[in-house]
Structures are given as C-alpha cells and as structure tokens.
Amino acid sequence: MGWFKKSNKKQEADIPDGLFVVCSKCKAHVYKEEFERAFKVCPSCGFHGRLTAQERIDLIVDTGTFREFNTKISTNDPLKFADAKGSYAEKAEQAKAKTGLNEAVVTGSGNIDGIRVVLAVMDFRFLGGSLASGTGEKILLAAEHAIRMKRALVIFSASGGARMHEGIISLMQMAKTCAGISRIDKARLPYISVLTDPTFGGVSASYATVGDINIAEPGALIGFAGRRVIEQTIKEKLPADFQTAEYLLAHGFVDCIVKRAELKNYLHSVLQYSNRKHA
Ligand SMILES: [Zn+2]
C-alpha cells in the first residue's frame, strides 16, 4: 500500500498546478492551453464550455474592431432587495468585482470578417446572466444603435432568466427588449440570436428566441422552467435530452446548431446573405 501511495504522490508533484482541466462531460484530462485555444471546446468529446463575454468577443469579432458602449449602465435596486444570503446591493458589488463588468451584458459594435454589426454578449458569471433593468436598457440601446447605423444586431444569450432581485422591473425588460427588436424588424435589418449554454426563463421567452435566425451551440441547455420544476409539476419523467439544443432543433424551436469553431464563418455567411438581399 505504502509503495503505491508514494508513487502517486510523486506523479502529482510532477504536474504543475493548472496544467490540465477536467472536461465536465467526458471527464477527460485536457491540456488547459489546448482547451483555451479551442475556445473551451473539449478536444476529446466536443463539449462546449461556457465563455465569458470577453472570450466570446475574442472568438467572434475581428481583432481590434470592437467598440464597447454604455459601459456605465449598471444595476438598480428599487426594492432594496435582500434574502437570507444577503442584500442584492452586496451581490451586485461582488459580481462587478468578480467580472469587471457593470451588468450581465456587454454591448458594442465590431466587425465579423469585415462586416460591421452591433453586438450584445451576455456574461453568465454576472448574477447568472440575469435580465434586469440595466441589462434590458443596454440591449434596447444596442437595438436602437443598430437601427441608427443600419447594421445587423447579433445577441449571444447566456442566462438563468429574469433577475428576481429587481422584481417586476426585470419582467418588464422582456417587453422592452422585444419592442426594440420589433423596431429592428420594421427597419428591415437582420437580428441574429445565438443561444448558448444556458438560456432560460425570461431571456428564452423574449429576445433570445425571436431572431430572424435562432442559432444554438451544441449541447446548450435551453428552456423556460428547469427540468426539476417541470417534472414536479407534470409528475412525469422527461427524456434525457430534454431542453438540449439537439432536442430543440428536432422540435423546431431553433433553426440550426453550429459548432463554436464554425460559428464566426456561419455568422458571416448569414450576414453576407442578408446584405445581398438589401443591396
Ligand atoms: Zn470532453
């Protein structure tokens, strides 16, 4: 026994900290550098890990072309909300410190293979990518900017849903963001929605699913209420692939599933097509 223990200890000591990451799907040990280089896609099973807003921008937007706007828009606390785990104000401050962001979405303009677009990119690390007054305001302003500049709007969603800490104000953002998107439609500009893991609740029930084209990433979980809540309500067991991008594609809820490595090219082709239609 002692011999094995000694041997294991030596092996562990030879591996520098943080050299490997463990894939949360296939449990393979993957070189962290390789995983990061592939924008957090597991080389062994193709599992798509979650990206931060900045990582998503680095993946999609041409280097040096992104111009962020409305960075000062932040959280509001009209209810002075607090639960057993602390106040919303404290949680918001922690989220800001952790992410370096003021809200759960980053908006700006940038080029996708030379085509200028307006982007809104959600960051799940910020209070679960929840939709609240600041998030909704930034998305609405992005839509208005797209109309002014006559550009397509591309939104990447990653969200647990509406932010309960802002109560009914958060729910109002569903209507507000969709009103902005309907103006994009009236202006005959394309709106592309990319649903990433996870997209739930008030976000999936508003702007994330009203794209001219709704694209999902492989394996992304997308739905309204969570599996457990639905199973308890209907008292039935749901299929294993329920609420996956693949299940939603088979049931006509999304238009296509695009691998992360092909996403930029795919978006460029869609944008090129819509530009041609407008020419
Ligand atoms: Zn894997």
PDB file of all heavy atoms in Angstrom, residues 22-30 35 41-48, ligand 1:
ATOM      1  N   VAL A  22     -10.357  19.355 -16.319  1.00  0.00           N
ATOM      2  CA  VAL A  22     -11.148  18.129 -16.464  1.00  0.00           C
ATOM      3  C   VAL A  22     -12.435  18.494 -17.187  1.00  0.00           C
ATOM      4  O   VAL A  22     -13.179  19.373 -16.757  1.00  0.00           O
ATOM      5  CB  VAL A  22     -11.453  17.509 -15.079  1.00  0.00           C
ATOM      6  CG1 VAL A  22     -12.295  16.241 -15.242  1.00  0.00           C
ATOM      7  CG2 VAL A  22     -10.171  17.189 -14.348  1.00  0.00           C
ATOM      8  N   CYS A  23     -12.694  17.825 -18.316  1.00  0.00           N
ATOM      9  CA  CYS A  23     -13.910  18.089 -19.086  1.00  0.00           C
ATOM     10  C   CYS A  23     -15.118  17.694 -18.239  1.00  0.00           C
ATOM     11  O   CYS A  23     -15.166  16.579 -17.712  1.00  0.00           O
ATOM     12  CB  CYS A  23     -13.902  17.299 -20.383  1.00  0.00           C
ATOM     13  SG  CYS A  23     -15.492  17.341 -21.231  1.00  0.00           S
ATOM     14  N   SER A  24     -16.089  18.607 -18.112  1.00  0.00           N
ATOM     15  CA  SER A  24     -17.221  18.283 -17.234  1.00  0.00           C
ATOM     16  C   SER A  24     -18.170  17.263 -17.864  1.00  0.00           C
ATOM     17  O   SER A  24     -19.024  16.721 -17.180  1.00  0.00           O
ATOM     18  CB  SER A  24     -17.971  19.539 -16.788  1.00  0.00           C
ATOM     19  OG  SER A  24     -18.074  20.441 -17.810  1.00  0.00           O
ATOM     20  N   LYS A  25     -18.000  16.950 -19.150  1.00  0.00           N
ATOM     21  CA  LYS A  25     -18.857  15.923 -19.756  1.00  0.00           C
ATOM     22  C   LYS A  25     -18.179  14.545 -19.772  1.00  0.00           C
ATOM     23  O   LYS A  25     -18.681  13.597 -19.196  1.00  0.00           O
ATOM     24  CB  LYS A  25     -19.245  16.342 -21.174  1.00  0.00           C
ATOM     25  CG  LYS A  25     -20.340  15.464 -21.742  1.00  0.00           C
ATOM     26  CD  LYS A  25     -20.751  15.918 -23.127  1.00  0.00           C
ATOM     27  CE  LYS A  25     -21.736  14.968 -23.759  1.00  0.00           C
ATOM     28  NZ  LYS A  25     -21.842  15.202 -25.200  1.00  0.00           N
ATOM     29  N   CYS A  26     -17.000  14.452 -20.439  1.00  0.00           N
ATOM     30  CA  CYS A  26     -16.378  13.122 -20.593  1.00  0.00           C
ATOM     31  C   CYS A  26     -15.307  12.833 -19.545  1.00  0.00           C
ATOM     32  O   CYS A  26     -14.753  11.738 -19.521  1.00  0.00           O
ATOM     33  CB  CYS A  26     -15.799  12.967 -22.001  1.00  0.00           C
ATOM     34  SG  CYS A  26     -14.296  13.921 -22.288  1.00  0.00           S
ATOM     35  N   LYS A  27     -15.052  13.846 -18.683  1.00  0.00           N
ATOM     36  CA  LYS A  27     -14.086  13.715 -17.575  1.00  0.00           C
ATOM     37  C   LYS A  27     -12.634  13.500 -18.048  1.00  0.00           C
ATOM     38  O   LYS A  27     -11.788  13.106 -17.257  1.00  0.00           O
ATOM     39  CB  LYS A  27     -14.465  12.567 -16.603  1.00  0.00           C
ATOM     40  CG  LYS A  27     -15.899  12.600 -16.107  1.00  0.00           C
ATOM     41  CD  LYS A  27     -16.188  13.805 -15.253  1.00  0.00           C
ATOM     42  CE  LYS A  27     -17.656  13.908 -14.868  1.00  0.00           C
ATOM     43  NZ  LYS A  27     -18.099  15.256 -14.629  1.00  0.00           N
ATOM     44  N   ALA A  28     -12.376  13.725 -19.325  1.00  0.00           N
ATOM     45  CA  ALA A  28     -11.003  13.597 -19.829  1.00  0.00           C
ATOM     46  C   ALA A  28     -10.154  14.736 -19.257  1.00  0.00           C
ATOM     47  O   ALA A  28     -10.659  15.842 -19.038  1.00  0.00           O
ATOM     48  CB  ALA A  28     -11.009  13.663 -21.352  1.00  0.00           C
ATOM     49  N   HIS A  29      -8.879  14.424 -19.009  1.00  0.00           N
ATOM     50  CA  HIS A  29      -7.938  15.483 -18.605  1.00  0.00           C
ATOM     51  C   HIS A  29      -7.389  16.108 -19.880  1.00  0.00           C
ATOM     52  O   HIS A  29      -6.791  15.430 -20.696  1.00  0.00           O
ATOM     53  CB  HIS A  29      -6.802  14.901 -17.764  1.00  0.00           C
ATOM     54  CG  HIS A  29      -7.233  14.596 -16.376  1.00  0.00           C
ATOM     55  ND1 HIS A  29      -8.160  13.621 -16.077  1.00  0.00           N
ATOM     56  CD2 HIS A  29      -6.884  15.174 -15.187  1.00  0.00           C
ATOM     57  CE1 HIS A  29      -8.358  13.607 -14.761  1.00  0.00           C
ATOM     58  NE2 HIS A  29      -7.604  14.521 -14.211  1.00  0.00           N
ATOM     59  N   VAL A  30      -7.646  17.381 -20.039  1.00  0.00           N
ATOM     60  CA  VAL A  30      -7.282  18.059 -21.278  1.00  0.00           C
ATOM     61  C   VAL A  30      -6.263  19.146 -20.934  1.00  0.00           C
ATOM     62  O   VAL A  30      -6.406  19.825 -19.907  1.00  0.00           O
ATOM     63  CB  VAL A  30      -8.543  18.714 -21.904  1.00  0.00           C
ATOM     64  CG1 VAL A  30      -8.200  19.420 -23.189  1.00  0.00           C
ATOM     65  CG2 VAL A  30      -9.634  17.682 -22.123  1.00  0.00           C
ATOM     66  N   PHE A  35      -7.357  23.492 -24.498  1.00  0.00           N
ATOM     67  CA  PHE A  35      -8.776  23.771 -24.229  1.00  0.00           C
ATOM     68  C   PHE A  35      -9.073  25.257 -24.469  1.00  0.00           C
ATOM     69  O   PHE A  35     -10.053  25.618 -25.119  1.00  0.00           O
ATOM     70  CB  PHE A  35      -9.065  23.378 -22.776  1.00  0.00           C
ATOM     71  CG  PHE A  35     -10.499  23.486 -22.358  1.00  0.00           C
ATOM     72  CD1 PHE A  35     -11.473  22.681 -22.933  1.00  0.00           C
ATOM     73  CD2 PHE A  35     -10.884  24.377 -21.356  1.00  0.00           C
ATOM     74  CE1 PHE A  35     -12.801  22.777 -22.528  1.00  0.00           C
ATOM     75  CE2 PHE A  35     -12.205  24.465 -20.939  1.00  0.00           C
ATOM     76  CZ  PHE A  35     -13.162  23.665 -21.524  1.00  0.00           C
ATOM     77  N   VAL A  41     -13.643  24.276 -26.016  1.00  0.00           N
ATOM     78  CA  VAL A  41     -14.320  23.086 -26.547  1.00  0.00           C
ATOM     79  C   VAL A  41     -13.410  21.892 -26.263  1.00  0.00           C
ATOM     80  O   VAL A  41     -12.210  21.934 -26.562  1.00  0.00           O
ATOM     81  CB  VAL A  41     -14.585  23.218 -28.070  1.00  0.00           C
ATOM     82  CG1 VAL A  41     -15.191  21.929 -28.617  1.00  0.00           C
ATOM     83  CG2 VAL A  41     -15.517  24.390 -28.355  1.00  0.00           C
ATOM     84  N   CYS A  42     -13.975  20.825 -25.677  1.00  0.00           N
ATOM     85  CA  CYS A  42     -13.176  19.657 -25.318  1.00  0.00           C
ATOM     86  C   CYS A  42     -12.726  18.927 -26.585  1.00  0.00           C
ATOM     87  O   CYS A  42     -13.562  18.552 -27.416  1.00  0.00           O
ATOM     88  CB  CYS A  42     -14.011  18.728 -24.437  1.00  0.00           C
ATOM     89  SG  CYS A  42     -13.218  17.139 -24.154  1.00  0.00           S
ATOM     90  N   PRO A  43     -11.408  18.721 -26.777  1.00  0.00           N
ATOM     91  CA  PRO A  43     -10.924  18.045 -27.987  1.00  0.00           C
ATOM     92  C   PRO A  43     -11.321  16.571 -28.026  1.00  0.00           C
ATOM     93  O   PRO A  43     -11.319  15.943 -29.078  1.00  0.00           O
ATOM     94  CB  PRO A  43      -9.401  18.197 -27.898  1.00  0.00           C
ATOM     95  CG  PRO A  43      -9.117  18.442 -26.468  1.00  0.00           C
ATOM     96  CD  PRO A  43     -10.330  19.090 -25.865  1.00  0.00           C
ATOM     97  N   SER A  44     -11.685  16.049 -26.858  1.00  0.00           N
ATOM     98  CA  SER A  44     -11.988  14.629 -26.783  1.00  0.00           C
ATOM     99  C   SER A  44     -13.457  14.326 -27.133  1.00  0.00           C
ATOM    100  O   SER A  44     -13.741  13.399 -27.890  1.00  0.00           O
ATOM    101  CB  SER A  44     -11.600  14.168 -25.376  1.00  0.00           C
ATOM    102  OG  SER A  44     -12.131  12.964 -25.079  1.00  0.00           O
ATOM    103  N   CYS A  45     -14.406  15.112 -26.586  1.00  0.00           N
ATOM    104  CA  CYS A  45     -15.829  14.795 -26.829  1.00  0.00           C
ATOM    105  C   CYS A  45     -16.610  15.930 -27.484  1.00  0.00           C
ATOM    106  O   CYS A  45     -17.792  15.772 -27.790  1.00  0.00           O
ATOM    107  CB  CYS A  45     -16.506  14.397 -25.525  1.00  0.00           C
ATOM    108  SG  CYS A  45     -16.776  15.788 -24.407  1.00  0.00           S
ATOM    109  N   GLY A  46     -15.983  17.096 -27.681  1.00  0.00           N
ATOM    110  CA  GLY A  46     -16.684  18.205 -28.338  1.00  0.00           C
ATOM    111  C   GLY A  46     -17.572  19.014 -27.409  1.00  0.00           C
ATOM    112  O   GLY A  46     -18.311  19.894 -27.857  1.00  0.00           O
ATOM    113  N   PHE A  47     -17.484  18.747 -26.100  1.00  0.00           N
ATOM    114  CA  PHE A  47     -18.272  19.525 -25.136  1.00  0.00           C
ATOM    115  C   PHE A  47     -17.907  21.011 -25.226  1.00  0.00           C
ATOM    116  O   PHE A  47     -16.737  21.369 -25.284  1.00  0.00           O
ATOM    117  CB  PHE A  47     -18.005  19.002 -23.714  1.00  0.00           C
ATOM    118  CG  PHE A  47     -18.562  19.865 -22.624  1.00  0.00           C
ATOM    119  CD1 PHE A  47     -19.927  19.864 -22.358  1.00  0.00           C
ATOM    120  CD2 PHE A  47     -17.740  20.697 -21.871  1.00  0.00           C
ATOM    121  CE1 PHE A  47     -20.453  20.679 -21.364  1.00  0.00           C
ATOM    122  CE2 PHE A  47     -18.254  21.504 -20.869  1.00  0.00           C
ATOM    123  CZ  PHE A  47     -19.617  21.493 -20.611  1.00  0.00           C
ATOM    124  N   HIS A  48     -18.939  21.865 -25.274  1.00  0.00           N
ATOM    125  CA  HIS A  48     -18.722  23.311 -25.336  1.00  0.00           C
ATOM    126  C   HIS A  48     -18.839  23.926 -23.939  1.00  0.00           C
ATOM    127  O   HIS A  48     -19.932  23.968 -23.374  1.00  0.00           O
ATOM    128  CB  HIS A  48     -19.751  23.964 -26.262  1.00  0.00           C
ATOM    129  CG  HIS A  48     -19.472  23.768 -27.724  1.00  0.00           C
ATOM    130  ND1 HIS A  48     -19.156  22.540 -28.270  1.00  0.00           N
ATOM    131  CD2 HIS A  48     -19.445  24.647 -28.756  1.00  0.00           C
ATOM    132  CE1 HIS A  48     -18.953  22.684 -29.563  1.00  0.00           C
ATOM    133  NE2 HIS A  48     -19.124  23.943 -29.900  1.00  0.00           N
TER     134      HIS A  48
HETATM  135 ZN    ZN B   1     -14.972  16.053 -23.053  1.00  0.00          ZN
END
